[in-house]
């Protein structure tokens, strides 16, 4: 996966820091637990004995616990001993080690309130006394304000002046983190290199899953999991481990999929079940009317993802629905695409509709009935996926276009205006893998779909055909099931054409709850 490869940058920066050049890092990822998991794996395989590690999280701690944990990291690294903080302080005092640092630790821990500036002062005193290099890893740094009074001017001064401390800041709150880095920590010296552990789709995920498997299942089998796991490395590692234990050649792959899901998300003792129940339980802390929040998540997981669709059910009034959606968005449970809302974690959404639903609506059902419901639900999902997987790609794209209801959605700073199509005429050129669509709605849509790489000549031909349509309000879209050459993109841009390559189409398919289109593997030249 690309997000794994991007850790090469982190590796280079840490090694450069050891050689005297410091470049601070900011790691962004949609899932805070995935960032932790990726860092755990990296540091378990890469040891840096010449650096004192300070690794803290901006959530779940009090101000005093946060300060004490930083002190513990410093003294543990310096003495190379695993002891309680009080024991390490006593050892230092007995041997007269680090008198300034230890004295400051004891004095500060006696205070009722501790601020972030005192954490930075502690690190400063330690470095000044020891001349040791420190790596300060602060996970979910934007949430630090909830447990410590943080003065970013003071933080910026520390970063500028203390060059023997390298910082790695992580966040799953991307917009908030980017705002802090651009407005409060945008420094001439000591600035942050941003690494986005973005969502990879399709081929990268397939290759990663295949690399984890000890067997070679069909592309239908692996694609099913790619569609529900998206790009979360934790999920891939867990599911791959279960597949390796359960996959048998004499069983049908549909039965194996059912068995894998039962042993990874259905059974209460599994990590993923506990993780998702934890997400449900957190709602009780954040919402006075938490049953409404759960109900709303359940509805979105069932496919009611437009605000108007949710209102039409008559369960929520406009104000209540707006407040619930805004709070769930702030808490990172859902993504707001404009007039469409989706649960951020696709596997969590899948779990809600296939596992939690029976616990929520039928709490008194027997274990046998619950399992029967789950198995029936999974078999239905497999059948639906199988039908879509083997369906003609062009037909699937046309079906996607028919789902649009004059939606305006925003994804990664991209704006999509998706007109409703009422009447459509379709023309195919089978010998060229080329198809034309003229559709009416609020505006006229003229679209071309090519089941291959799109060249500049394809774009020029499309433009020529579009000139024959006498209509001022016309939306021109060219769709490729692969990619566009650079000259094709340039011509399209100059002529104000909308281009959707396979990545754009798969992004839209995901938003509209449809399986991804297959990819072309350019290395092996096989269709997936």
């Amino acid at each position: 996966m690309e997000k794994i490869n991007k850790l090469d940058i982190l590796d280079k920066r840490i090694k450069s820091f050891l050689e005297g050049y410091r470049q601070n890092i900011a790691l962004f990822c949609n899932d805070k637990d995935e960032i932790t998991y990726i860092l755990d794996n990296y540091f378990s395989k890469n040891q840096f004995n010449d650096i004192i590690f300070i690794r803290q999280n901006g959530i779940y701690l009090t101000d005093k616990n946060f300060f004490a944990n930083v002190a513990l990291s410093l003294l543990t690294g310096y003495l190379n001993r695993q002891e309680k903080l009080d024991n390490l302080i006593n050892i230092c005092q007995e041997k007269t080690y680090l008198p300034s640092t230890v004295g400051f630790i004891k004095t500060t821990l006696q205070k009722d309130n501790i601020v972030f500036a005192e954490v930075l002062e502690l690190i400063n005193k330690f470095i000044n006394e020891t001349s040791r290099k420190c790596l300060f890893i602060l996970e979910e740094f934007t949430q630090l304000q909830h447990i410590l009074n943080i003065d970013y001017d003071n933080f910026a001064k520390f970063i500028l002046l203390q060059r023997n401390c390298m910082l790695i800041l992580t966040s799953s709150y991307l917009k908030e983190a980017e705002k802090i880095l651009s407005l409060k920590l945008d420094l001439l010296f000591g600035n942050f290199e941003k690494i986005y552990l973005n969502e990879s789709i399709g081929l990268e995920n397939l290759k990663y899953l295949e690399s984890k498997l000890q067997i070679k299942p069909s592309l239908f089998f692996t694609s099913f999991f790619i569609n529900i796991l998206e790009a979360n490395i934790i999920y891939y590692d867990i599911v791959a481990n279960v597949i390796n234990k359960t996959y048998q050649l004499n069983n049908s792959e549909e039965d194996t999929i059912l068995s894998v899901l039962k042993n990874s998300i259905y059974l209460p003792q599994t990590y993923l079940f506990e993780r998702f129940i934890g997400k449900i339980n957190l709602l009780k802390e954040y919402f006075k009317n938490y049953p409404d929040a759960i109900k709303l998540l359940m509805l979105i997981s069932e496919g009611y993802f437009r605000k108007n669709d949710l209102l039409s059910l008559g369960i929520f009034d406009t104000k209540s629905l707006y407040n619930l959606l805004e709070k769930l968005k702030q808490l990172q449970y859902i993504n707001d695409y404009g007039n469409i809302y989706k649960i951020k974690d696709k596997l969590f959404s899948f779990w809600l509709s296939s596992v939690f639903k029976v616990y929520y609506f039928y709490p008194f059902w027997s274990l046998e009935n619950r399992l029967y419901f789950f198995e029936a639900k999974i078999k239905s999902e497999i059948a639906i996926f199988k039908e879509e997987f083997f369906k003609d790609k062009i037909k699937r794209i046309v079906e996607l276009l028919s789902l649009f209801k004059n939606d305006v959605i925003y994804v990664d700073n991209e704006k999509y205006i998706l007109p409703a199509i009422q009447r459509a005429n379709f023309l195919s050129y089978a010998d060229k893998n080329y198809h034309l669509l003229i559709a009416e709605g609020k505006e006229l849509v003229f679209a071309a779909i090519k089941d291959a790489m799109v060249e500049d000549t394809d774009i020029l031909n499309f433009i020529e055909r579009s000139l024959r349509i006498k209509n001022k309000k016309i939306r021109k879209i060219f769709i490729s099931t692969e990619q566009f050459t650079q000259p094709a993109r340039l011509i399209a841009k100059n002529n104000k054409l909308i281009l959707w390559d396979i990545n754009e189409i798969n992004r839209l398919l995901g938003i509209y709850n449809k399986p991804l289109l297959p990819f072309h593997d350019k290395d092996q030249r096989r269709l997936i």
Side-chain angles (χ1 to χ4, degrees):
M1 279 187 183
E2 184 184 3
K3 60 179 70 178
I4 295 293
N5 296 333
K6 284 186 177 180
L7 288 186
D8 291 343
I9 300 173
L10 176 64
D11 190 63
K12 290 177 182 177
R13 298 295 176 257
I14 294 176
K15 290 173 180 175
S16 295
F17 177 55
L18 284 169
E19 295 170 359
Y21 172 77
R22 181 191 64 163
Q23 173 63 66
N24 296 316
I25 296 288
L27 283 174
F28 299 140
C29 184
N30 284 330
D31 188 316
K32 62 181 177 60
D33 293 328
E34 189 180 10
I35 301 178
T36 299
Y37 183 77
I38 290 171
L39 289 175
D40 285 346
N41 283 345
Y42 172 78
F43 286 113
S44 69
K45 297 172 184 175
N46 298 274
Q47 305 294 322
F48 300 95
N49 297 325
D50 296 329
I51 296 178
I52 300 292
F53 281 83
I54 312 162
R55 186 172 174 184
Q56 296 301 316
N57 203 305
I59 51 179
Y60 306 132
L61 295 171
T62 64
D63 55 347
K64 190 165 288 190
N65 284 337
F66 189 95
F67 182 88
N69 285 352
V70 172
L72 179 64
S73 297
L74 292 171
L75 298 187
T76 297
Y78 180 77
L79 297 172
N80 196 25
R81 294 181 64 159
Q82 298 289 335
E83 301 268 1
K84 291 182 179 180
L85 179 58
D86 289 342
N87 293 342
L88 295 176
I89 289 174
N90 291 334
I91 292 170
C92 287
Q93 288 180 320
E94 288 172 6
K95 300 189 176 182
T96 62
Y97 292 157
L98 312 177
S100 177
T101 301
V102 171
F104 185 72
I105 292 170
K106 293 178 67 177
T107 301
T108 305
L109 286 175
Q110 292 174 0
K111 293 184 176 182
D112 292 330
N113 297 301
I114 299 174
V115 297
F116 189 62
E118 289 166 314
V119 174
L120 300 178
E121 187 176 351
L122 170 61
I123 297 171
N124 254 332
K125 287 182 179 293
F126 176 82
I127 292 174
N128 292 338
E129 272 196 302
T130 63
S131 297
R132 297 287 297 274
K133 291 182 179 292
C134 291
L135 179 61
F136 189 7
I137 305 168
L138 184 50
E139 298 184 50
E140 293 299 311
F141 79 96
T142 62
Q143 304 307 295
L144 193 62
Q145 60 189 323
H146 300 302
I147 59 172
L148 285 165
N149 182 2
I150 180 166
D151 180 349
Y152 279 103
D153 289 336
N154 182 273
F155 194 13
K157 184 178 178 181
F158 170 84
I159 295 169
L160 279 169
L161 299 179
Q162 187 48 268
R163 300 188 64 81
N164 279 327
C165 183
M166 175 181 170
L167 286 110
I168 298 176
L169 305 182
T170 80
S171 181
S172 60
Y173 294 84
L174 272 61
K175 289 184 179 179
E176 188 178 348
E178 288 175 329
K179 185 177 180 180
I180 291 172
L181 291 177
S182 63
L183 297 179
K184 299 178 180 179
L185 297 177
D186 185 19
L187 311 172
L188 183 60
F189 300 103
N191 66 317
F192 288 83
E193 180 177 7
K194 299 173 186 175
I195 300 176
Y196 293 86
L197 304 179
N198 294 329
E199 297 298 308
S200 53
I201 56 176
L203 186 57
E204 286 183 18
N205 298 339
L206 173 74
K207 287 184 174 180
Y208 184 80
L209 179 57
E210 287 182 337
S211 73
K212 293 290 181 177
L213 298 180
Q214 298 166 3
I215 41 86
K216 292 184 178 180
S218 73
L219 292 171
F220 159 75
F221 180 89
T222 49
S223 295
F224 179 89
F225 288 106
I226 288 166
N227 273 273
I228 62 172
L229 303 180
E230 290 192 316
N232 191 305
I233 289 176
I234 300 176
Y235 299 165
Y236 276 92
D237 288 354
I238 289 172
V239 168
N241 184 50
V242 177
I243 291 172
N244 287 330
K245 291 178 179 178
T246 59
Y247 192 93
Q248 295 182 5
L249 292 175
N250 58 338
N251 289 343
S252 73
E253 290 195 322
E254 286 90 341
D255 287 343
T256 303
I257 291 172
L258 177 59
S259 177
V260 169
L261 291 174
K262 178 183 175 182
N263 287 283
S264 57
I265 67 171
Y266 175 77
L267 297 177
Q269 65 268 29
T270 62
Y271 166 82
L272 292 175
F273 186 98
E274 292 179 353
R275 171 184 167 91
F276 296 147
I277 280 292
K279 291 170 77 76
I280 294 294
N281 289 335
L282 272 177
L283 296 173
K284 298 176 184 179
E285 297 182 20
Y286 291 115
F287 290 88
K288 290 181 180 179
N289 57 336
Y290 72 88
D292 283 349
I294 295 173
K295 190 181 299 180
L296 180 55
L297 287 174
M298 294 289 294
L299 290 169
I300 295 174
S301 75
E302 293 284 354
Y304 294 94
F305 48 71
R306 287 187 181 87
K307 192 183 296 184
N308 289 339
D309 294 340
L310 291 164
L311 284 172
S312 69
L313 297 173
I315 299 172
F316 311 101
D317 59 48
T318 303
K319 183 178 179 181
S320 298
L321 179 62
Y322 175 81
N323 289 337
L324 284 168
L325 289 170
E326 282 299 304
K327 190 68 177 287
L328 287 170
K329 184 171 71 172
Q330 291 171 13
L331 294 172
Q332 308 250 64
Y333 279 82
I334 62 174
N335 283 327
D336 177 1
Y337 292 115
N339 68 322
I340 288 178
Y341 293 84
K342 296 297 297 294
I343 293 175
K344 196 170 186 178
D345 185 333
K346 191 168 183 179
L347 187 60
F348 177 52
S349 180
F350 186 84
W351 179 85
L352 283 172
S353 62
S354 61
V355 179
F356 184 70
K357 182 178 181 178
V358 70
Y359 285 87
Y360 184 74
F361 289 110
Y362 311 107
F364 302 111
W365 271 16
S366 66
L367 293 176
E368 291 79 9
N369 284 339
R370 287 178 180 175
L371 181 59
Y372 178 83
F373 172 88
F374 171 75
E375 290 180 343
K377 174 68 173 175
I378 298 303
K379 288 176 182 178
S380 173
E381 292 290 338
I382 293 171
I384 293 170
F385 177 81
K386 192 171 187 177
E387 181 182 354
E388 291 290 314
F389 182 81
F390 291 106
K391 189 181 291 182
D392 177 73
K393 285 185 288 183
I394 303 302
K395 185 176 181 181
R396 289 187 59 198
I397 291 173
V398 174
E399 288 176 353
L400 171 66
L401 299 177
S402 71
L403 297 175
F404 302 159
K405 294 184 179 179
N406 297 315
D407 301 315
V408 179
I409 63 177
Y410 300 85
V411 187
D412 298 335
N413 299 319
E414 293 286 337
K415 181 180 179 181
Y416 296 88
I417 300 175
L418 308 173
I421 292 174
Q422 296 168 351
R423 292 178 296 276
N425 295 311
F426 198 69
L427 184 62
S428 294
Y429 299 87
D431 57 324
K432 297 180 180 179
N433 287 328
Y434 188 75
H435 312 266
L436 291 175
L437 178 77
I438 301 177
E440 296 180 41
K442 266 190 175 181
E443 56 189 342
L444 194 67
V445 175
F446 182 51
I449 308 170
K450 187 175 182 182
D451 189 14
M453 178 74 73
V454 174
E455 309 283 347
D456 53 350
T457 52
D458 298 314
I459 299 294
L460 291 170
N461 180 266
F462 178 67
I463 293 170
E464 182 184 344
R465 289 174 181 272
S466 70
L467 293 174
R468 303 172 192 171
I469 303 173
K470 305 302 180 183
N471 192 306
K472 290 183 179 180
K473 278 194 172 184
I474 178 170
R475 185 168 296 276
K476 303 171 188 176
I477 306 171
F478 205 120
I479 301 169
S480 171
T481 61
E482 291 189 28
Q483 295 288 341
F484 296 86
T485 64
Q486 226 23 64
R489 288 188 179 278
L490 183 60
I491 295 170
K493 182 179 180 181
N494 292 337
N495 287 273
K496 297 181 179 180
L497 302 186
I498 299 169
L499 301 185
W500 291 344
D501 61 20
I502 188 168
N503 293 315
E504 303 284 342
I505 289 295
N506 276 335
R507 179 179 289 174
L508 292 171
L509 284 168
I511 290 172
Y512 285 88
N513 288 336
K514 295 295 180 181
L516 305 181
L517 280 183
F519 278 68
H520 284 284
D521 185 335
K522 293 181 180 179
D523 299 324
Q524 301 177 37
R525 300 312 303 168
R526 65 174 182 174
L527 188 64
I528 64 171

